[in-house]
DNA sequence: CCTCTCTTCCACAGATCTATGGATAACAGA
DNA sequence: TCTGTTATCCATAGATCTGTGGAAGAGAGG
């Protein structure tokens, strides 16, 4: 009995973990989760963004909710979903990292669009902090405006990729541009950089995206009014990766 | 065409990540992966450890291999499986962390067996390093011997839980015991500590287990002969969590 | 109370996954 | 070559998951 009950509990544990696995077994759910790590969204917006019918998206979201990976907030007739905590984003990040590390296919896809592991081209977080402080760089957030509003690098300018061409004139051609987006699997920043370079501007991508920036313990601004300032704090809590807070609790 | 191909690639990306998700959607596969993060094993051993029939275990392992999360090595008529790289263990760790953080059920199960989040009881890695260096503590690896052989904390003594009672006499009653096992979801160390305390010994669990120790960038010994030494290096590469090497590459 | 919008629930058909026993393949040793 | 061991492959039946359209909730605003 003792022994058996022990084995049962162990089985239960893995059963619970598989509840989480169930969420990421479907590509669209991974996509939804990735989106929710950027900003909360209504069901309709999520369905639209992931290319799903409303009822299908809702069903997927229910699965994610049962696994407690997302939470909801009601506003009038609309329901907003959000990632249920930092651990969720961390998990999604780990999944993406694992994919890039182990699945050659992932790297191929990324390479095919110029976002490949030519990471020599990428700016590190530490370097960005350094240069942003001295003011000789423009930090560009090329994600959709809602995501910028939900959290962005302090001092970054919001310029969604879709408006980039139209608003090129707003950029100081004398400064190098550092663009960032959702993360290493996101295509927005690489594409923006390609566009900028084609126009003769100096531009590079930031390594990773906002979630990793946040997970590194670096400051994140949420004031949607702040769109042009240069307010990276004079001294940051720490200097880059090492700043990551203790993983547990 | 441009636009469409872009969306296709994005879908492909998530499709690839879902390949990984497919592995952790089945409780037994999570269990197998967890085991493989401790040490390589033959199919037979894995089936035995997870309580599966051979053919079923083999089928699960094929799924894991297709997702590139495990690799094999042949030795005569036997095939040994192992986790395909550190990122895999990191992912499993992230999954476990997420489970503990978001699923109340996980914490309940852990609490029911005394392994709950009474982490006040646990010894941190930094503290262990400190005290091991000054020699006033016995580090006990209570996992099966194969796992100890595949990698353990330098200076730790291998004393699998199943032999604990029989070999209690080998422990110096004057020193406090710090026991560790596979990780925060593993029951071995908490049980060992309970047993030791029942015998009047001072004993505590290490926070987390060997995978986390390794992921923190701390030294891991693999020499199976080293079973009683006290050879934690005088100075470690760094001091605990911060030592974690850069997450990517 | 009625209507409109956004979301969830429900039922069902098609697809996918899982466990299992039996057959097959790879290898070691006589 | 023959035998025994270990692992993989295969076919199948039962279970689970997905996408879908239609119906039902839940608020907001007349």
């Amino acid at each position: 009995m003792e022994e058996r009950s022990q084995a049962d509990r162990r089985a239960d544990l893995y059963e619970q973990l598989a509840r989480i696995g169930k969420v990421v077994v479907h590509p669209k759910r991974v996509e939804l989760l990735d989106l929710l790590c950027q900003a909360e969204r209504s069901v309709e917006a999520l369905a639209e963004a992931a290319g799903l019918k409303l009822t299908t998206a809702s069903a997927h979201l229910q699965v994610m909710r049962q696994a407690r990976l997302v939470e909801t907030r009601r506003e009038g007739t609309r329901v907003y979903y959000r990632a249920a905590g930092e651990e969720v984003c961390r998990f999604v990040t780990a999944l993406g990292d694992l994919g890039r590390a182990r699945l050659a296919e992932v790297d191929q896809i990324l390479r095919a669009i110029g976002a490949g592991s030519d990471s020599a081209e990428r700016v590190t977080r530490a370097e960005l902090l350094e240069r942003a402080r001295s003011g000789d760089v423009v930090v560009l957030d090329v994600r959709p405006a809602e995501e910028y509003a939900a959290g962005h690098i302090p001092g970054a300018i919001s310029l969604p990729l879709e408006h980039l061409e139209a608003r090129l004139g707003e950029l100081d051609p004398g400064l190098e541009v550092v663009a960032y987006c959702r993360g290493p699997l996101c295509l927005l920043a690489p594409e923006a950089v390609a566009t900028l370079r084609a126009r003769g501007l100096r531009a590079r991508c930031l390594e990773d995206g906002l979630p990793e920036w946040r997970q590194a313990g670096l400051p994140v601004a949420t004031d949607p009014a702040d769109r042009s300032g240069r307010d990276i704090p004079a001294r940051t809590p720490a200097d880059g990766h090492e700043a990551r807070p203790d993983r547990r609790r």
Side-chain angles (χ1 to χ4, degrees), chain A residues 27 29 45 51 79 92 119 141 194 205:
Chain A
R29 286 201 287 259
V79 175
V92 174
S119 50
D141 186 324
C205 291

mmCIF file of all heavy atoms in Angstrom, chain A residues 27 29 45 51 79 92 119 141 194 205:
data_model
loop_
_atom_site.group_PDB
_atom_site.id
_atom_site.type_symbol
_atom_site.label_atom_id
_atom_site.label_comp_id
_atom_site.label_asym_id
_atom_site.label_seq_id
_atom_site.Cartn_x
_atom_site.Cartn_y
_atom_site.Cartn_z
ATOM 1 N N PRO A 27 -0.162 23.417 -32.891
ATOM 2 C CA PRO A 27 0.572 24.600 -33.369
ATOM 3 C C PRO A 27 -0.150 25.907 -33.075
ATOM 4 O O PRO A 27 0.466 26.888 -32.655
ATOM 5 C CB PRO A 27 0.661 24.370 -34.877
ATOM 6 C CG PRO A 27 0.480 22.917 -35.084
ATOM 7 C CD PRO A 27 -0.324 22.396 -33.945
ATOM 8 N N ARG A 29 -2.170 26.576 -30.736
ATOM 9 C CA ARG A 29 -2.139 26.943 -29.318
ATOM 10 C C ARG A 29 -0.785 27.518 -28.946
ATOM 11 O O ARG A 29 -0.694 28.449 -28.141
ATOM 12 C CB ARG A 29 -2.484 25.728 -28.463
ATOM 13 C CG ARG A 29 -3.951 25.384 -28.516
ATOM 14 C CD ARG A 29 -4.408 24.550 -27.337
ATOM 15 N NE ARG A 29 -3.945 23.187 -27.399
ATOM 16 C CZ ARG A 29 -4.684 22.149 -27.797
ATOM 17 N NH1 ARG A 29 -5.938 22.347 -28.165
ATOM 18 N NH2 ARG A 29 -4.191 20.953 -27.809
ATOM 19 N N ALA A 45 -9.659 39.169 -31.260
ATOM 20 C CA ALA A 45 -8.346 39.591 -31.735
ATOM 21 C C ALA A 45 -7.406 38.400 -31.886
ATOM 22 O O ALA A 45 -6.631 38.313 -32.849
ATOM 23 C CB ALA A 45 -7.743 40.614 -30.768
ATOM 24 N N GLY A 51 -5.472 33.429 -37.305
ATOM 25 C CA GLY A 51 -6.146 32.893 -38.475
ATOM 26 C C GLY A 51 -7.080 31.746 -38.144
ATOM 27 O O GLY A 51 -7.079 30.719 -38.815
ATOM 28 N N VAL A 79 -14.099 39.474 -23.621
ATOM 29 C CA VAL A 79 -13.256 38.733 -22.677
ATOM 30 C C VAL A 79 -11.804 38.833 -23.133
ATOM 31 O O VAL A 79 -11.489 38.508 -24.274
ATOM 32 C CB VAL A 79 -13.677 37.254 -22.609
ATOM 33 C CG1 VAL A 79 -12.724 36.480 -21.722
ATOM 34 C CG2 VAL A 79 -15.103 37.134 -22.112
ATOM 35 N N VAL A 92 7.391 29.240 -22.602
ATOM 36 C CA VAL A 92 7.317 29.426 -24.046
ATOM 37 C C VAL A 92 8.707 29.758 -24.596
ATOM 38 O O VAL A 92 9.104 29.262 -25.654
ATOM 39 C CB VAL A 92 6.319 30.548 -24.404
ATOM 40 C CG1 VAL A 92 6.357 30.847 -25.889
ATOM 41 C CG2 VAL A 92 4.924 30.142 -23.972
ATOM 42 N N SER A 119 23.836 35.432 -35.774
ATOM 43 C CA SER A 119 23.652 36.265 -34.597
ATOM 44 C C SER A 119 24.810 37.246 -34.426
ATOM 45 O O SER A 119 24.789 38.093 -33.555
ATOM 46 C CB SER A 119 23.489 35.396 -33.355
ATOM 47 O OG SER A 119 24.531 34.444 -33.318
ATOM 48 N N ASP A 141 10.586 49.632 -31.644
ATOM 49 C CA ASP A 141 9.684 48.517 -31.345
ATOM 50 C C ASP A 141 8.774 48.352 -32.547
ATOM 51 O O ASP A 141 7.897 49.179 -32.793
ATOM 52 C CB ASP A 141 8.874 48.841 -30.086
ATOM 53 C CG ASP A 141 8.014 47.662 -29.636
ATOM 54 O OD1 ASP A 141 7.487 46.930 -30.503
ATOM 55 O OD2 ASP A 141 7.864 47.477 -28.420
ATOM 56 N N ALA A 194 15.825 44.694 -42.652
ATOM 57 C CA ALA A 194 16.069 44.566 -44.088
ATOM 58 C C ALA A 194 15.541 45.799 -44.820
ATOM 59 O O ALA A 194 16.215 46.366 -45.678
ATOM 60 C CB ALA A 194 15.393 43.302 -44.617
ATOM 61 N N CYS A 205 19.228 44.023 -35.519
ATOM 62 C CA CYS A 205 18.215 43.483 -34.610
ATOM 63 C C CYS A 205 18.799 43.337 -33.219
ATOM 64 O O CYS A 205 19.988 43.086 -33.053
ATOM 65 C CB CYS A 205 17.773 42.088 -35.059
ATOM 66 S SG CYS A 205 16.835 42.066 -36.574
#
